[in-house]
Amino acid sequence: EPEVTQTPSHQVTQMGQEVILRCVPISNHLYFYWYRQILGQKVEFLVSFYNNEISEKSEIFDDQFSVERPDGSNFTLKIRSTKLEDSAMYFCASSEARTGGAGEKLFFGSGTQLSVL
Amino acid sequence: AQSVTQLGSHVSVSEGALVLLRCNYSSSVPPYLFWYVQYPNQGLQLLLKYTTGATLVKGINGFEAEFKKSETSFHLTKPSAHMSDAAEYFCAVSGGYGQNFVFGPGTRLSVLP
């Protein structure tokens, strides 16, 4: 089965530093997403991306966050100035169609564990 | 708006016993409902989903779930637990196109020998 791949699997950074989390969605998918899971808490939606622009974002996705599809294969999440509370598992996902519609399927990557010290 | 509750943050069953993980939802529109599983150090994997049609949905690894509109529930069951079923299980609801998933808080399933 096709996979969404994320790198790195674990990233450690100092508070205030910028980090870029990388994702390679499934090649024929058109919609891309970032979710995060703070340890012991639920998986939270951050942002969805389609046609080279953000289609929806949550209140968590503030000005310190940005997403980009720099080329035809990668989808990145940048956190400009990391805070301690940004420590979480970040999941990338992709789908052929917008989530929630009949017939589509959301594929998740295995996640990047971000630790902010 | 949609929301999901999962009763029991941790459920333990013996190997071979029935697995029942509870999920209740709230939705202002007919919901699409999903169960995801997360094995240790892995990503989220779709177990099964309900969109329309038959209310009893079968998924991978012998799991199934039944959509009960009157009870606003979508409980996940498996007749006989296996050690490999130990994982975190997330129920999710979506209101349809353009509405992103809302995940429940998750239930950790432990399977005892």
Side-chain angles (χ1 to χ4, degrees), chain A residues 33 35 37 41-43 45 48 56 91 97-106 108-110, chain B residues 4 32 34 36 38 41-44 46 49 51 90 94 96-101 103-105:
Chain A
Y33 311 85
Y35 288 79
Q37 183 184 26
Q41 298 185 26
K42 67 172 73 174
V43 179
F45 168 72
S48 60
E56 289 177 271
F91 291 104
R98 298 179 80 174
T99 55
E104 97 303 334
K105 181 175 171 181
L106 195 66
F108 283 88
S110 57
Chain B
V4 179
Y32 297 123
F34 307 80
Y36 281 83
Q38 183 182 25
N41 301 313
Q42 294 188 29
L44 297 166
L46 180 67
K49 66 178 181 178
T51 53
F90 294 92
S94 170
Y97 281 111
Q99 299 295 315
N100 287 289
F101 282 38
F103 283 87

Side-chain angles (χ1 to χ4, degrees), chain A:
Chain A
E1 187 168 77
E3 286 186 344
V4 174
T5 56
Q6 290 185 245
T7 54
S9 58
H10 194 182
Q11 173 124 21
V12 181
T13 189
Q14 296 289 326
M15 190 170 59
Q17 295 296 304
E18 175 182 286
V19 295
I20 297 176
L21 309 183
R22 302 181 190 280
C23 169
V24 179
I26 293 170
S27 60
N28 64 332
H29 284 186
L30 301 176
Y31 296 85
F32 315 112
Y33 311 85
W34 284 100
Y35 288 79
R36 79 171 184 191
Q37 183 184 26
I38 295 172
L39 185 64
Q41 298 185 26
K42 67 172 73 174
V43 179
E44 301 173 296
F45 168 72
L46 291 178
V47 66
S48 60
F49 190 86
Y50 169 71
N51 200 25
N52 285 318
E53 61 183 26
I54 291 173
S55 49
E56 289 177 271
K57 61 182 181 179
S58 72
E59 59 189 23
I60 301 169
F61 193 88
D62 60 22
D63 291 344
Q64 70 162 152
F65 292 95
S66 62
V67 289
E68 192 178 30
R69 189 152 163 83
D71 53 44
S73 60
N74 290 285
F75 178 52
T76 62
L77 174 69
K78 182 191 291 186
I79 309 175
R80 258 180 278 281
S81 176
T82 51
K83 307 181 192 121
L84 295 177
E85 53 265 37
D86 294 328
S87 296
M89 177 75 87
Y90 287 80
F91 291 104
C92 174
S94 70
S95 65
E96 287 184 76
R98 298 179 80 174
T99 55
E104 97 303 334
K105 181 175 171 181
L106 195 66
F107 288 77
F108 283 88
S110 57
T112 294
Q113 179 65 53
L114 176 64
S115 299
V116 181
L117 306 178

Side-chain angles (χ1 to χ4, degrees), chain B:
Chain B
Q2 287 75 41
S3 66
V4 179
T5 56
Q6 291 182 240
L7 185 62
S9 60
H10 189 189
V11 170
S12 292
V13 300
S14 298
E15 191 172 19
L18 171 72
V19 175
L20 171 61
L21 305 182
R22 298 179 186 276
C23 172
N24 288 87
Y25 69 90
S26 170
S27 178
S28 54
V29 296
Y32 297 123
L33 296 157
F34 307 80
W35 275 100
Y36 281 83
V37 60
Q38 183 182 25
Y39 297 103
N41 301 313
Q42 294 188 29
L44 297 166
Q45 180 181 359
L46 180 67
L47 270 182
L48 50 79
K49 66 178 181 178
Y50 167 80
T51 53
T52 57
T55 56
L56 182 63
V57 180
K58 294 184 186 300
I60 62 172
N61 302 337
F63 283 93
E64 61 183 37
E66 186 170 12
F67 169 56
K68 292 188 176 180
K69 184 178 178 182
S70 61
E71 298 177 7
T72 60
S73 69
F74 190 58
H75 302 329
L76 182 71
T77 60
K78 182 174 180 178
S80 176
H82 193 272
M83 297 296 289
S84 61
D85 294 327
E88 187 94 17
Y89 291 80
F90 294 92
C91 184
V93 64
S94 170
Y97 281 111
Q99 299 295 315
N100 287 289
F101 282 38
V102 173
F103 283 87
T107 297
R108 181 169 299 279
L109 175 66
S110 297
V111 181
L112 308 174

